[in-house]
Amino acid sequence: MKPIKILKSAAVINLCLIFAVSSLYGQQPRDYTFHLTTSTTESPAVISFKWEPMSGTPKIYIWRKSKNTTNWGVKIASLPADTNGYTDKNVETGVEYEYKIIKNEDSRPIITYVNTGIKCKEVEYRGKVILLIDSTFVNDLKVELNQYETDLIGDGWD
């Protein structure tokens, strides 16, 4: 065989091995977050979270802050790994809260953020948006662009 053919063959084999191994160890977004549902009750004012218990998680930690503050402060809960939910009874109607929930803090943290509140004032007008689309993609993305435009309008953008 010629040296160039050997080099090309080796390069192709190495690329195939890299792609095969990287798919085995590839990181997925689901590796760094977890699914939870949030529910609220107006009277008494309560915000509740539910999730699937995770095996191997040493603890679940929860922080809460007001939407307008930047500091998370102290954690409001440290829960055992087999817990499948949390209810926050120390909330007020009309106040928007952010929660940071961390699972498996000791090895690889899995973090989820939630923004919620009870009877909070909705933002009716956020401002104007200019969306620029390359004309070569307009036809291929017509359905997605229409949905995006509808989502922006529904979120208060003009």
Side-chain angles (χ1 to χ4, degrees):
M1 278 175 107
K2 294 181 181 178
I4 292 181
K5 270 192 168 182
I6 293 172
L7 186 59
K8 284 183 181 177
S9 298
V12 168
I13 291 171
N14 283 333
L15 278 174
C16 289
L17 287 173
I18 288 170
F19 288 127
V21 171
S22 67
S23 67
L24 292 174
Y25 297 103
Q27 297 171 344
Q28 302 293 321
R30 68 178 171 264
D31 296 336
Y32 296 99
T33 186
F34 57 95
H35 179 75
L36 62 82
T37 57
T38 305
S39 62
T40 61
T41 305
E42 188 176 342
S43 183
V46 169
I47 297 175
S48 299
F49 304 99
K50 295 274 186 220
W51 57 77
E52 293 293 321
M54 265 179 81
S55 60
T57 304
K59 287 270 188 187
I60 299 166
Y61 303 101
I62 302 175
W63 286 263
R64 179 194 65 227
K65 70 179 188 74
S66 171
K67 175 75 172 168
N68 301 323
T69 61
T70 56
N71 185 5
W72 284 102
V74 297
K75 19 178 193 235
I76 60 170
S78 294
L79 307 169
D82 59 353
T83 304
N84 67 346
Y86 174 76
T87 299
D88 188 359
K89 298 176 182 176
N90 191 19
V91 295
E92 297 176 30
T93 301
V95 178
E96 197 170 352
Y97 297 100
E98 288 184 12
Y99 289 85
K100 176 170 65 171
I101 303 171
I102 298 180
K103 286 184 171 189
N104 205 7
E105 188 180 66
D106 297 333
S107 60
R108 182 181 70 198
I110 300 172
I111 305 170
T112 294
Y113 295 93
V114 176
N115 184 41
T116 187
I118 304 167
K119 291 208 149 208
C120 294
K121 186 178 179 194
E122 68 180 80
V123 178
E124 294 182 21
Y125 182 75
R126 295 186 188 273
K128 293 183 183 241
V129 172
I130 296 175
L131 183 62
L132 302 173
I133 308 296
D134 188 331
S135 61
T136 57
F137 299 109
V138 171
N139 289 334
D140 293 338
L141 297 174
K142 188 171 185 139
V143 172
E144 290 85 358
L145 290 172
N146 286 337
Q147 181 63 54
Y148 186 59
E149 183 180 359
T150 302
D151 292 346
L152 285 172
I153 292 168
D155 198 32
W157 293 99
D158 189 16

